[in-house]
Amino acid sequence: EFSMTGSATLPTNEKLDVYHSSGHPLRPIIVMVHGGGWRNGDKLLDNVILNKFQNWIRRGITCVSVNYKLDVGTDPVTVQAVSVAKAIAYVQAHAAAWGCNPSNVIVMGHSAGAHLVNLVMSSDAIRTAAGVQQVLGTILLDSAAYNVYNIMSDTHLPLYDEPWGVDPQKWRDGSPAYQISSRMPPTLCVVSQTGGPHSEDD
């Protein structure tokens, strides 16, 4: 477990776990950002560690599982995106020391985590402030939101109410659709048409 600032006293939600593979030199890295409706979830979730990492580590890929601030209600969701950006920058800065290729980083997120990954990659301001360099690509698994403004302006699931509140400016600030400011890295969007809170409509 690594602290993103080098402080052992940093809260758990500002830490990440690195799972090294025994793959080829300068192996790639997948950075995984968990979901949980912007309020829940953890870097140790079974669907991250067991369902995903066990598969990729066997294929010579180093995996990183990231926690981020879950203080929604007091802080805007964009603060969570800043946490994710700090984690990506940390991984890039330490990749070579881990025997990995710092330019061969793929960032993946699920549900709310996919939204946060997308927001980071859409916003030049967030990436620049955190020191995020170019990544190889992003993978968004059942992203919980692309255009938060549209979601909140219409009938929506209750899970959006606490993190997003009633301020339309907050919805715009947290919408990747409103924040795209330059060319994004190649992005794969995987959307489930059945099951879970998200459907092809989102």
Side-chain angles (χ1 to χ4, degrees):
E1 182 177 75
F2 294 85
S3 159
M4 287 179 255
T5 64
S7 168
T9 60
L10 202 64
T12 302
N13 64 7
E14 284 276 277
K15 292 186 177 180
L16 51 82
D17 295 332
V18 180
Y19 297 81
H20 294 289
S21 81
S22 56
H24 56 78
L26 296 180
R27 54 195 176 272
I29 300 176
I30 291 179
V31 178
M32 179 68 198
V33 182
H34 68 78
W38 301 280
R39 295 171 297 178
N40 302 296
D42 188 80
K43 57 187 171 59
L44 295 174
L45 288 172
D46 284 352
N47 65 6
V48 172
I49 306 307
L50 300 181
N51 294 1
K52 297 177 176 64
F53 284 10
Q54 286 187 2
N55 175 59
W56 296 323
I57 290 169
R58 286 197 302 265
R59 289 163 168 75
I61 297 172
T62 288
C63 297
V64 178
S65 189
V66 171
N67 269 358
Y68 50 88
K69 291 184 176 182
L70 295 175
D71 306 328
V72 294
T74 56
D75 287 328
V77 173
T78 48
V79 170
Q80 297 181 332
V82 170
S83 286
V84 170
K86 286 166 51 180
I88 297 167
Y90 181 94
V91 168
Q92 291 176 321
H94 291 80
W98 300 337
C100 299
N101 186 343
S103 65
N104 199 5
V105 174
I106 297 168
V107 186
M108 175 182 284
H110 171 251
S111 190
H115 160 263
L116 294 172
V117 167
N118 198 8
L119 183 55
V120 170
M121 292 303 155
S122 298
S123 171
D124 283 347
I126 292 174
R127 287 195 317 278
T128 300
V132 175
Q133 305 300 312
Q134 183 174 355
V135 301
L136 188 64
T138 61
I139 302 173
L140 311 178
L141 305 175
D142 279 330
S143 178
Y146 179 68
N147 190 328
V148 179
Y149 185 87
N150 280 0
I151 291 171
M152 296 303 293
S153 299
D154 202 348
T155 304
H156 56 269
L157 293 171
L159 71 87
Y160 292 93
D161 289 330
E162 182 184 349
W164 292 103
V166 297
D167 182 359
Q169 188 59 51
K170 185 176 178 181
W171 307 342
R172 290 187 187 92
D173 292 345
S175 294
Y178 281 88
Q179 298 305 315
I180 294 176
S181 43
S182 64
R183 185 178 178 87
M184 290 180 63
T187 301
L188 174 65
C189 301
V190 181
V191 181
S192 171
Q193 293 186 3
T194 59
H198 319 306
S199 69
E200 65 272 21
D201 290 342
D202 190 40

